[in-house]
Short mmCIF file of all heavy atoms in Angstrom, two decimals:
data_model
loop_
_atom_site.label_atom_id
_atom_site.label_comp_id
_atom_site.label_asym_id
_atom_site.label_seq_id
_atom_site.Cartn_x
_atom_site.Cartn_y
_atom_site.Cartn_z
N LEU A 284 161.91 61.94 71.52
CA LEU A 284 160.91 60.83 72.07
C LEU A 284 160.03 61.38 73.01
O LEU A 284 158.79 61.16 72.96
CB LEU A 284 161.89 59.70 72.46
CG LEU A 284 161.26 58.37 72.73
CD1 LEU A 284 160.68 57.85 71.35
CD2 LEU A 284 162.27 57.47 73.28
N ALA A 285 160.55 62.06 74.01
CA ALA A 285 159.67 62.61 75.02
C ALA A 285 158.83 63.86 74.66
O ALA A 285 157.76 64.02 75.04
CB ALA A 285 160.42 62.84 76.34
N GLY A 286 159.59 64.72 73.99
CA GLY A 286 159.00 66.10 73.60
C GLY A 286 157.96 65.91 72.59
O GLY A 286 156.94 66.74 72.67
N VAL A 287 158.02 65.02 71.71
CA VAL A 287 157.05 64.97 70.51
C VAL A 287 156.39 63.63 70.40
O VAL A 287 155.09 63.52 70.26
CB VAL A 287 157.86 65.28 69.08
CG1 VAL A 287 156.75 65.37 68.08
CG2 VAL A 287 158.58 66.65 69.25
N LEU A 288 157.15 62.54 70.42
CA LEU A 288 156.45 61.27 70.05
C LEU A 288 155.43 60.89 71.02
O LEU A 288 154.35 60.30 70.61
CB LEU A 288 157.57 60.12 69.93
CG LEU A 288 157.95 59.83 68.41
CD1 LEU A 288 158.57 61.02 67.74
CD2 LEU A 288 158.76 58.52 68.43
N LEU A 289 155.59 61.09 72.30
CA LEU A 289 154.65 60.72 73.20
C LEU A 289 153.31 61.56 73.12
O LEU A 289 152.23 61.04 73.37
CB LEU A 289 155.15 61.10 74.65
CG LEU A 289 156.49 60.41 75.06
CD1 LEU A 289 156.58 60.58 76.68
CD2 LEU A 289 156.61 58.86 74.71
N LYS A 290 153.48 62.72 72.50
CA LYS A 290 152.31 63.55 72.23
C LYS A 290 151.36 63.02 71.08
O LYS A 290 150.28 63.35 71.07
CB LYS A 290 152.72 65.01 71.95
CG LYS A 290 153.71 65.59 72.92
CD LYS A 290 153.30 65.49 74.37
CE LYS A 290 154.40 65.94 75.36
NZ LYS A 290 155.58 65.16 75.38
N MET A 291 151.99 62.24 70.29
CA MET A 291 151.15 61.71 69.18
C MET A 291 150.13 60.82 69.62
O MET A 291 149.02 60.65 69.00
CB MET A 291 152.17 61.07 68.23
CG MET A 291 153.07 61.98 67.49
SD MET A 291 154.20 61.12 66.36
CE MET A 291 154.84 62.55 65.65
N GLY A 292 150.25 60.07 70.76
CA GLY A 292 149.22 59.27 71.34
C GLY A 292 148.02 60.02 71.73
O GLY A 292 146.98 59.75 71.28
N THR A 293 148.30 61.00 72.44
CA THR A 293 147.13 61.91 72.89
C THR A 293 146.58 62.66 71.81
O THR A 293 145.34 62.89 71.72
CB THR A 293 147.67 62.83 74.11
OG1 THR A 293 148.83 63.37 73.78
CG2 THR A 293 147.74 62.02 75.46
N TYR A 294 147.45 63.12 70.97
CA TYR A 294 146.90 63.90 69.77
C TYR A 294 146.14 62.94 68.98
O TYR A 294 144.91 63.44 68.34
CB TYR A 294 148.09 64.33 68.89
CG TYR A 294 147.71 65.02 67.65
CD1 TYR A 294 147.29 66.32 67.58
CD2 TYR A 294 147.60 64.26 66.31
CE1 TYR A 294 146.95 66.99 66.46
CE2 TYR A 294 147.26 64.84 65.26
CZ TYR A 294 146.96 66.32 65.07
OH TYR A 294 146.38 66.79 64.07
N GLY A 295 146.38 61.64 68.73
CA GLY A 295 145.68 60.74 67.98
C GLY A 295 144.24 60.60 68.63
O GLY A 295 143.23 60.45 67.86
N MET A 296 144.21 60.51 69.85
CA MET A 296 142.96 60.35 70.63
C MET A 296 142.06 61.46 70.28
O MET A 296 140.87 61.46 70.05
CB MET A 296 143.19 60.18 72.11
CG MET A 296 143.86 58.82 72.45
SD MET A 296 144.07 58.69 74.29
CE MET A 296 145.18 57.36 74.36
N MET A 297 142.66 62.75 70.44
CA MET A 297 141.78 63.93 70.23
C MET A 297 141.44 64.09 68.78
O MET A 297 140.27 64.36 68.41
CB MET A 297 142.66 65.21 70.53
CG MET A 297 142.82 65.40 71.99
SD MET A 297 143.83 66.93 72.27
CE MET A 297 143.82 67.03 74.00
N ARG A 298 142.33 63.72 67.81
CA ARG A 298 142.10 63.95 66.33
C ARG A 298 141.26 62.94 65.75
O ARG A 298 140.41 63.13 64.83
CB ARG A 298 143.38 64.03 65.64
CG ARG A 298 143.34 64.12 64.04
CD ARG A 298 142.67 65.40 63.63
NE ARG A 298 143.52 66.46 63.84
CZ ARG A 298 143.08 67.79 64.04
NH1 ARG A 298 141.76 67.93 64.06
NH2 ARG A 298 143.92 68.73 64.28
N ILE A 299 141.31 61.61 66.24
CA ILE A 299 140.71 60.46 65.46
C ILE A 299 139.64 59.86 66.44
O ILE A 299 138.37 59.67 66.16
CB ILE A 299 141.78 59.59 65.07
CG1 ILE A 299 142.59 60.14 64.09
CG2 ILE A 299 140.96 58.29 64.44
CD1 ILE A 299 143.75 59.28 63.57
N SER A 300 140.09 59.33 67.67
CA SER A 300 139.20 58.49 68.47
C SER A 300 137.94 59.16 68.92
O SER A 300 136.81 58.61 68.81
CB SER A 300 140.07 57.91 69.67
OG SER A 300 141.08 57.05 69.25
N PHE A 301 138.15 60.32 69.59
CA PHE A 301 137.14 60.95 70.21
C PHE A 301 136.03 61.54 69.22
O PHE A 301 134.86 61.18 69.48
CB PHE A 301 137.69 62.20 71.11
CG PHE A 301 138.33 61.70 72.39
CD1 PHE A 301 138.74 60.50 72.68
CD2 PHE A 301 138.37 62.61 73.49
CE1 PHE A 301 139.36 60.12 73.85
CE2 PHE A 301 138.93 62.23 74.80
CZ PHE A 301 139.41 61.12 74.89
N PRO A 302 136.37 62.09 68.11
CA PRO A 302 135.34 62.68 67.26
C PRO A 302 134.59 61.62 66.54
O PRO A 302 133.57 61.76 66.13
CB PRO A 302 136.05 63.64 66.43
CG PRO A 302 137.48 63.40 66.55
CD PRO A 302 137.73 62.65 67.83
N ILE A 303 135.36 60.51 66.14
CA ILE A 303 134.81 59.41 65.30
C ILE A 303 133.74 58.58 66.16
O ILE A 303 132.77 58.02 65.72
CB ILE A 303 135.81 58.63 64.68
CG1 ILE A 303 136.59 59.51 63.61
CG2 ILE A 303 135.21 57.41 63.89
CD1 ILE A 303 137.71 58.88 62.87
N PHE A 304 134.25 58.31 67.55
CA PHE A 304 133.39 57.42 68.32
C PHE A 304 133.06 58.19 69.58
O PHE A 304 133.43 57.81 70.70
CB PHE A 304 134.36 56.15 68.66
CG PHE A 304 134.67 55.35 67.52
CD1 PHE A 304 136.09 55.42 67.13
CD2 PHE A 304 133.80 54.56 66.84
CE1 PHE A 304 136.47 54.62 65.99
CE2 PHE A 304 134.28 53.82 65.79
CZ PHE A 304 135.63 53.89 65.37
N PRO A 305 132.23 59.29 69.42
CA PRO A 305 131.87 60.08 70.59
C PRO A 305 131.11 59.38 71.51
O PRO A 305 131.34 59.48 72.90
CB PRO A 305 131.07 61.17 70.01
CG PRO A 305 130.61 60.67 68.71
CD PRO A 305 131.66 59.81 68.24
N ASP A 306 130.19 58.50 71.14
CA ASP A 306 129.48 57.68 72.12
C ASP A 306 130.23 56.68 72.89
O ASP A 306 130.10 56.57 74.19
CB ASP A 306 128.33 56.80 71.42
CG ASP A 306 128.92 56.08 70.27
OD1 ASP A 306 130.01 56.27 69.79
OD2 ASP A 306 128.18 55.21 69.82
N VAL A 307 131.24 56.11 72.30
CA VAL A 307 132.06 55.12 73.00
C VAL A 307 133.12 55.92 73.95
O VAL A 307 133.46 55.50 75.12
CB VAL A 307 132.94 54.27 72.11
CG1 VAL A 307 133.61 53.16 72.90
CG2 VAL A 307 131.95 53.64 71.05
N THR A 308 133.49 57.09 73.58
CA THR A 308 134.39 57.91 74.30
C THR A 308 133.60 58.19 75.64
O THR A 308 134.17 58.20 76.78
CB THR A 308 134.63 59.27 73.56
OG1 THR A 308 135.36 58.94 72.43
CG2 THR A 308 135.58 60.19 74.38
N VAL A 309 132.32 58.64 75.57
CA VAL A 309 131.55 58.90 76.79
C VAL A 309 131.54 57.69 77.67
O VAL A 309 131.67 57.69 78.89
CB VAL A 309 130.20 59.46 76.48
CG1 VAL A 309 129.38 59.67 77.63
CG2 VAL A 309 130.34 60.89 75.76
N TYR A 310 131.29 56.44 77.04
CA TYR A 310 131.12 55.18 77.72
C TYR A 310 132.41 54.85 78.45
O TYR A 310 132.26 54.27 79.65
CB TYR A 310 130.80 54.12 76.68
CG TYR A 310 130.45 52.87 77.23
CD1 TYR A 310 129.36 52.48 77.90
CD2 TYR A 310 131.48 51.79 77.03
CE1 TYR A 310 129.12 51.16 78.35
CE2 TYR A 310 131.26 50.53 77.57
CZ TYR A 310 130.15 50.30 78.17
OH TYR A 310 129.93 48.96 78.68
N PHE A 311 133.42 55.15 77.88
CA PHE A 311 134.83 54.79 78.62
C PHE A 311 135.44 55.99 79.31
O PHE A 311 136.71 55.87 79.67
CB PHE A 311 135.75 54.24 77.52
CG PHE A 311 135.56 52.90 77.09
CD1 PHE A 311 135.07 52.50 75.84
CD2 PHE A 311 135.69 51.74 78.07
CE1 PHE A 311 134.83 51.17 75.38
CE2 PHE A 311 135.41 50.56 77.69
CZ PHE A 311 135.05 50.12 76.40
N ALA A 312 134.68 57.06 79.48
CA ALA A 312 135.34 58.20 80.20
C ALA A 312 135.91 57.81 81.53
O ALA A 312 137.13 58.17 81.88
CB ALA A 312 134.30 59.33 80.28
N VAL A 313 135.19 57.26 82.32
CA VAL A 313 135.75 56.80 83.72
C VAL A 313 136.89 55.87 83.63
O VAL A 313 137.85 56.14 84.33
CB VAL A 313 134.56 56.28 84.55
CG1 VAL A 313 135.11 55.80 85.93
CG2 VAL A 313 133.47 57.33 84.76
N PRO A 314 136.85 54.80 82.86
CA PRO A 314 138.06 53.94 82.77
C PRO A 314 139.24 54.75 82.30
O PRO A 314 140.44 54.50 82.81
CB PRO A 314 137.66 52.85 81.82
CG PRO A 314 136.19 52.75 81.98
CD PRO A 314 135.65 54.11 82.21
N MET A 315 139.13 55.68 81.33
CA MET A 315 140.23 56.34 80.92
C MET A 315 140.76 57.36 81.96
O MET A 315 142.02 57.41 82.14
CB MET A 315 139.80 57.23 79.68
CG MET A 315 139.73 56.41 78.38
SD MET A 315 139.55 57.44 76.91
CE MET A 315 137.95 58.23 77.15
N ALA A 316 139.90 57.89 82.75
CA ALA A 316 140.29 58.63 83.87
C ALA A 316 141.09 57.91 84.83
O ALA A 316 142.07 58.41 85.48
CB ALA A 316 139.17 59.37 84.50
N ILE A 317 140.59 56.68 85.18
CA ILE A 317 141.28 55.80 86.12
C ILE A 317 142.72 55.49 85.54
O ILE A 317 143.72 55.48 86.34
CB ILE A 317 140.50 54.54 86.37
CG1 ILE A 317 139.23 54.95 87.20
CG2 ILE A 317 141.27 53.56 87.21
CD1 ILE A 317 138.19 53.86 87.35
N LEU A 318 142.82 55.21 84.34
CA LEU A 318 144.08 54.92 83.75
C LEU A 318 145.11 56.12 83.85
O LEU A 318 146.28 55.99 84.08
CB LEU A 318 143.95 54.51 82.27
CG LEU A 318 143.63 53.06 82.05
CD1 LEU A 318 143.47 52.94 80.47
CD2 LEU A 318 144.76 52.13 82.51
N GLY A 319 144.45 57.34 83.65
CA GLY A 319 145.33 58.48 83.78
C GLY A 319 145.84 58.63 85.23
O GLY A 319 146.93 59.04 85.41
N VAL A 320 144.92 58.39 86.26
CA VAL A 320 145.50 58.52 87.63
C VAL A 320 146.65 57.44 87.98
O VAL A 320 147.43 57.69 88.63
CB VAL A 320 144.17 58.38 88.54
CG1 VAL A 320 144.63 58.42 89.98
CG2 VAL A 320 143.29 59.58 88.28
#
Side-chain angles (χ1 to χ4, degrees):
L284 196 58
V287 181
L288 259 66
L289 304 192
K290 314 302 175 298
M291 290 180 173
T293 45
Y294 175 84
M296 293 178 192
M297 287 183 175
R298 172 67 69 210
I299 300 177
S300 302
F301 283 23
I303 294 177
F304 302 106
D306 49 343
V307 190
T308 300
V309 174
Y310 182 76
F311 280 113
V313 174
M315 284 193 292
I317 292 173
L318 276 176
V320 174

